[in-house]
Amino acid sequence: MNRLLNLLNTSIGRKLVVAISGIFLLLFVIGHALGNLTIYIGPSALNSYAHWLQQSPMLWLVRLGMLAIVTLHLWLGIKVSLENRSARRIAYQAGSSLWQRLFEQRMLISGLIIFIFIVAHVAHLTLGAAADATFYRVDERGFVDVYARLVTAFQTPTIAWSYITAMLLVGIHLKHSVRALFQTMGFFHDNYFSLFEGLSWLIVLFVVIGLCSIPLAIQFGWLNHAVAGLSIPSLTGPRFA
Amino acid sequence: MKFILSVWRQPSATATGRLVDYPIDGIGADDSFLEVIDAINENLMAQQQEPIAYEMDCREGICGSCSLMINGSAHGPQRATTTCQLYMREFSDGETITVEPWRADALPVIKDLIVDRSAMDRIMQSAGYISVHTGEAPDANEILVSKHRADRAFEAASCIGCGACIAACPNASAMLFVAAKVVQLALLPQGQPERCHRVISMVEAMDREGFGNCSNHYECAEACPKSIPLSVIAHLNREFLQAGLFGREFSAAAHRVVHEE
């Protein structure tokens, strides 16, 4: 055990922990995107999927596990970034432009914003902070009406566009991660460069297009017609905040 | 050709430095970059001024001592080239060229453009060697090494230890350097007895010196004058994981040295 702690305490060991926790987060995001895409099958498909998740005995185990993994990933990510900054405290005069510096720091910046987004997202759509009656609606089978919840929430342009922005940042974060994690795990080889490059684009495009399409579709009114009998607050009453 | 060299002047390690502009005329397109600094230094000395301190050794691109950050690029704009092998035809006439030393807290400036690269030597001293009896040269082909393996080892062994990878890395990480030094020996039969000890000790030594962590920006391989491939870093990660899990005990938990100003 002591040996393992020593291993994880080195620079390479810590990056390994970031990479392994990142794999879990990556799988979670892919699974989340796949699940959410059931919205295009229809309200009952999405609500059944949500019901299947909510009644699962693994629900809290997964939730607590994800919380631990996010904490570890974030903590080590910040620690490594701070060390990296202190490794060159005098910058080059003919240095990089502001955009290049932002690009170099993109993992930390996008990571921190994504973390804030996750907290807001859980409060918004899971815990129902500032929720109205629509949030607690159940469908005809007695399942929580997640479909109505989403359609109501994404009627508000600011919410829809903040989600889309957050997903673009997830895309930027993932684009770097997929190839980097193979390198950190030691799989990287010059022959596989284009394979990993392709794989990372595939994952990024799937996650970003998949997850952005939902608020976009609701904004453009492509999904509203399916919410039969739902009085949408943004259209009839006070706006969903 | 005419140029203005904007050069980092810093009288000593503790003094504060600044960029000073030196106009120079009558430079040929086939003059090397270091010859331009020599020309400026001759002018400075003629005026009884302190010449620019820089490392000027082999001038054949093999010793790794020339180490200039030219317009924000390690060893200048041309790929796979050391500063001494860089010629002025790579620049446009009348250009202002900024010349700075390597920047990394682990490689502090001694004077002007010269940095102290002892941190890299200490990493090598920790385990970047093989323990063998020296004596007569062994017979050729006494120890068989496949062509493929020899080529990959040689690719890593072409590292001249100039530090461009560290200078170019946004995190001032020494991973490409350490990886090249670990991999060249890990691939060869002579490197096997100390293989686990070597990778762990060298990574621990690297951590102690206060280099940054690799976050896969890949600037190092772009800057490397010897075109050492990025895959050596993955190879180092693999070696390290293998040694950490299955090799000997760690010598000590790595304690990072925070350099005080």
Side-chain angles (χ1 to χ4, degrees):
Chain A
M1 192 63 200
N2 187 27
R3 174 194 199 81
L4 200 61
L5 283 178
N6 280 343
L7 172 74
L8 298 180
N9 218 9
T10 59
S11 57
I12 296 182
R14 273 175 295 154
K15 273 159 40 68
L16 210 58
V17 178
V18 176
I20 293 169
S21 57
I23 293 176
F24 283 103
L25 296 173
L26 180 67
L27 292 176
F28 177 84
V29 170
I30 295 172
H32 194 21
L34 276 173
N36 286 12
L37 288 176
T38 55
I39 197 169
Y40 293 113
I41 304 174
S44 73
L46 181 65
N47 292 350
S48 305
Y49 161 68
H51 182 73
W52 172 74
L53 284 183
Q54 280 160 0
Q55 54 79 47
S56 166
M58 299 287 282
L59 178 68
W60 277 99
L61 190 72
V62 173
R63 279 182 175 172
L64 291 176
M66 290 314 292
L67 185 70
I69 289 169
V70 167
T71 312
L72 194 66
H73 192 78
L74 185 75
W75 175 59
L76 283 178
I78 292 174
K79 191 175 153 69
V80 165
S81 297
L82 289 178
E83 277 176 9
N84 292 348
R85 280 174 175 223
S86 66
R88 178 181 292 129
R89 281 176 293 185
I90 301 171
Y92 290 107
Q93 302 277 313
S96 31
S97 64
L98 177 67
W99 283 112
Q100 274 173 304
R101 284 203 298 278
L102 282 177
F103 185 71
E104 282 161 7
Q105 296 294 326
R106 67 195 181 282
M107 293 309 275
L108 181 68
I109 297 167
S110 61
L112 288 174
I113 299 174
I114 291 165
F115 177 69
I116 296 167
F117 165 76
I118 293 171
V119 173
H121 170 56
V122 169
H124 174 212
L125 286 177
T126 309
L127 302 176
D132 66 359
T134 327
F135 192 85
Y136 302 104
R137 238 176 81 118
V138 289
D139 67 6
E140 61 277 9
R141 289 171 300 173
F143 295 171
V144 175
D145 197 347
V146 176
Y147 189 89
R149 198 185 274 190
L150 279 184
V151 171
T152 318
F154 290 137
Q155 295 276 325
T156 314
T158 46
I159 290 183
W161 289 106
S162 347
Y163 270 74
I164 291 165
T165 312
M167 286 314 106
L168 293 177
L169 287 170
V170 167
I172 291 171
H173 204 81
L174 289 188
K175 180 64 192 66
H176 181 78
S177 325
V178 177
R179 207 171 60 186
L181 77 86
F182 282 108
Q183 169 119 17
T184 304
M185 306 279 293
F187 287 121
F188 195 93
H189 186 282
D190 292 334
N191 292 353
Y192 300 149
F193 192 86
S194 48
L195 176 72
F196 293 148
E197 187 71 8
L199 185 67
S200 61
W201 273 117
L202 200 70
I203 293 175
V204 167
L205 291 179
F206 170 71
V207 167
V208 173
I209 294 174
L211 289 175
C212 284
S213 72
I214 298 170
L216 277 176
I218 294 169
Q219 273 293 304
F220 292 124
W222 299 331
L223 282 172
N224 297 4
H225 65 280
V227 193
L230 171 70
S231 83
I232 293 168
S234 65
L235 299 178
T236 58
R239 286 206 157 203
F240 186 86
Chain B
M1 295 176 93
K2 244 177 159 166
F3 297 99
I4 297 171
L5 255 65
S6 188
V7 181
W8 184 262
R9 299 304 307 266
Q10 182 175 333
S12 72
T14 47
T16 46
R18 67 192 177 94
L19 287 174
V20 179
D21 285 357
Y22 297 101
I24 183 89
D25 202 351
I27 298 294
D30 295 335
D31 286 351
S32 82
F33 197 83
L34 296 186
E35 282 166 343
V36 177
I37 300 183
D38 290 336
I40 293 172
N41 277 348
E42 276 171 28
N43 291 347
L44 286 173
M45 285 185 286
Q47 296 161 24
Q48 303 292 313
Q49 288 181 38
E50 182 81 10
I52 300 164
Y54 73 99
E55 294 203 54
M56 54 161 292
D57 217 339
C58 79
R59 306 216 175 189
E60 291 178 342
I62 54 169
C63 80
S65 67
C66 57
S67 55
L68 302 179
M69 203 71 176
I70 300 163
N71 282 341
S73 303
H75 291 299
Q78 197 177 16
R79 284 196 71 169
T81 306
T82 54
T83 298
C84 65
Q85 294 290 298
L86 179 68
Y87 294 92
M88 297 318 286
R89 52 181 176 262
E90 298 299 324
F91 299 90
S92 45
D93 197 11
E95 194 176 339
T96 300
I97 305 167
T98 309
V99 188
E100 296 174 82
W102 289 165
R103 292 287 184 204
D105 283 32
L107 309 178
V109 173
I110 300 170
K111 186 177 180 180
D112 295 343
L113 299 173
I114 299 181
V115 297
D116 180 359
R117 281 179 280 198
S118 310
M120 296 167 75
D121 295 339
R122 286 191 291 271
I123 295 174
M124 290 305 283
Q125 282 159 5
S126 72
Y129 49 78
I130 54 168
S131 305
V132 289
H133 295 293
T134 54
E136 285 177 32
D139 285 342
N141 298 330
E142 193 182 12
I143 304 169
L144 295 178
V145 181
S146 74
K147 173 82 169 80
H148 173 65
R149 201 162 257 268
D151 284 349
R152 281 168 57 216
F154 191 77
E155 202 171 37
S158 59
C159 171
I160 52 176
C162 64
C165 47
I166 300 163
C169 175
N171 305 334
S173 166
M175 282 285 275
L176 192 70
F177 165 68
V178 174
K181 297 302 182 192
V182 165
V183 168
Q184 62 174 358
L185 297 176
L187 283 169
L188 297 175
Q190 293 87 343
Q192 299 312 307
E194 291 154 306
R195 191 169 163 184
C196 288
H197 162 77
R198 179 180 308 112
V199 64
I200 289 170
S201 300
M202 288 183 79
V203 168
E204 284 182 344
M206 171 180 81
D207 287 354
R208 275 196 302 274
E209 297 295 342
F211 290 105
N213 304 280
C214 170
S215 53
N216 308 305
H217 286 284
Y218 305 151
E219 297 285 342
C220 51
E222 284 283 314
C224 179
K226 295 295 156 187
S227 302
I228 293 179
L230 278 173
S231 54
V232 295
I233 295 182
H235 198 149
L236 169 66
N237 290 336
R238 203 155 63 226
E239 284 286 321
F240 183 76
L241 190 60
Q242 211 172 0
L245 292 176
F246 309 117
R248 70 173 187 115
E249 285 297 331
F250 278 71
S251 60
H255 295 294
R256 296 184 64 84
V257 176
V258 177
H259 288 259
E260 297 300 329
E261 280 179 303

